[in-house]
Amino acid sequence: MSEPMRVAVLGVAGRMGQMLVRAIGESADCILSGVTVREGHDWIGRDLGEVTGGSARGVMVSGDPLEVFAGAEAVIDFTTPAATLAHSALAAQARAVHVIGTTGMSAADIAALGPAARHAVIVRAGNMSLGVNLLTVLTRQIAAALDADFDVEVVEMHHRHKVDAPSGTALMLAEAAAEGRGVTLGDVADRARDGLTGARKRGDIGLAALRGGDVAGEHDVIFAADGERIVLRHLATDRMIFARGALKAALWGRGKPPGEYDMQDVLGLRT
């Protein structure tokens, strides 16, 4: 049996950071090797267990990602686009698996990961859950089977604190619909309608974002034609599904050749 994988968590003070620490603690296949917070955070230099209200656990919170990468086989990153790009260079140097759940990344940000992927495994996904990735496959298949007489709308809702819209998952689903139709999402995306917008354009893919309460994540993909609708829905009630998925991705990436992968690779859903 192989030794437990050394996994570090970047941005440990955030909601997902805390979930990831818990998921690693519950896993027999990995150990927590290090954690980071942003520069200047008051947790730096203190024991992770103590700052989170528990007993000491021997893992000190660091403000230096380079230090943490040096001791990790994999790092899990739910931070910000700018931080993630900086982390990708460190992952390449350390030959560490870099699992990216960061949302709000632009096409240019994603393209900038390419050089790092020549030296390290990068697993990036807008959503790490099994259910959402199955939904993505179904969305692509249905979009390929239906013509543009079926309007496509992607509607998502998240908690009031989410800072980016539409969500990474919504964009992933819209991309899948566009792929199914053989078009580029940037050419057909219809976002944030307001005012006298005119009639809906045939072939467009609409995206709408709702925010409120403590919603972990709800996503609908609607195919609507005259006289009928097909609605695909995923409801997340516990963020731990994302943490477990990210951990699965880290373990899957161990020993894989450098390159860019996603959760459909991890889950064997690639078609």
Side-chain angles (χ1 to χ4, degrees):
M1 180 180 293
S2 61
E3 292 293 316
M5 190 179 199
R6 301 187 308 278
V7 180
V9 174
L10 309 179
V12 73
R15 294 185 183 197
M16 278 307 305
Q18 293 295 295
M19 286 287 184
L20 288 162
V21 167
R22 181 178 145 199
I24 292 169
E26 294 173 354
S27 172
D29 298 318
C30 57
I31 56 173
L32 183 65
S33 64
V35 296
T36 70
V37 289
R38 68 181 183 278
E39 185 178 354
H41 198 285
D42 60 7
W43 285 10
I44 293 174
R46 301 170 65 188
D47 186 278
L48 176 63
E50 294 176 347
V51 297
T52 54
S55 58
R57 53 188 302 163
V59 177
M60 306 304 291
V61 180
S62 176
D64 180 6
L66 180 60
E67 172 186 70
V68 170
F69 272 80
E73 295 174 84
V75 294
I76 303 181
D77 186 349
F78 283 75
T79 57
T80 65
T84 293
L85 291 180
H87 295 154
S88 70
L90 297 178
Q93 293 174 29
R95 303 300 192 265
V97 177
H98 189 187
V99 178
I100 301 173
T102 302
T103 59
M105 297 185 74
S106 67
D109 292 333
I110 293 167
L113 297 171
R118 291 197 289 268
H119 305 283
V121 171
I122 293 178
V123 182
R124 186 189 66 82
N127 192 297
M128 298 285 177
S129 84
L130 171 60
V132 162
N133 282 278
L134 286 170
L135 178 61
T136 302
V137 172
L138 292 171
T139 297
R140 185 181 299 112
Q141 292 176 339
I142 292 174
L146 302 175
D147 63 22
D149 285 339
F150 279 81
D151 301 318
V152 183
E153 293 286 322
V154 180
V155 182
E156 55 100 345
M157 183 169 185
H158 284 84
H159 54 88
R160 65 171 67 93
H161 303 291
K162 187 168 178 60
V163 298
D164 60 303
S167 69
T169 303
L171 290 170
M172 184 170 75
L173 293 167
E175 286 279 6
E179 289 171 11
R181 286 191 165 173
V183 297
T184 300
L185 180 61
D187 295 334
V188 298
D190 186 6
R191 305 190 189 194
R193 303 182 187 101
D194 185 28
L196 296 173
T197 61
R200 191 187 197 284
K201 183 179 176 182
R202 188 176 190 273
D204 277 359
I205 296 174
L207 294 108
L210 311 178
R211 296 289 176 266
D214 62 353
V215 177
E218 299 180 1
H219 294 86
D220 288 350
V221 182
I222 304 166
F223 295 86
D226 293 345
E228 61 181 331
R229 282 179 293 163
I230 300 167
V231 181
L232 305 178
R233 168 170 286 187
H234 181 269
L235 305 179
T237 58
D238 186 346
R239 290 183 182 85
M240 184 56 75
I241 63 173
F242 310 129
R244 293 191 187 109
L247 195 55
K248 185 178 182 72
L251 291 164
W252 177 88
R254 193 181 209 180
K256 293 291 189 300
E260 295 183 69
Y261 303 92
D262 61 23
M263 284 302 290
Q264 292 186 48
D265 296 307
V266 173
L267 299 171
L269 298 173
R270 180 65 59 203
T271 56

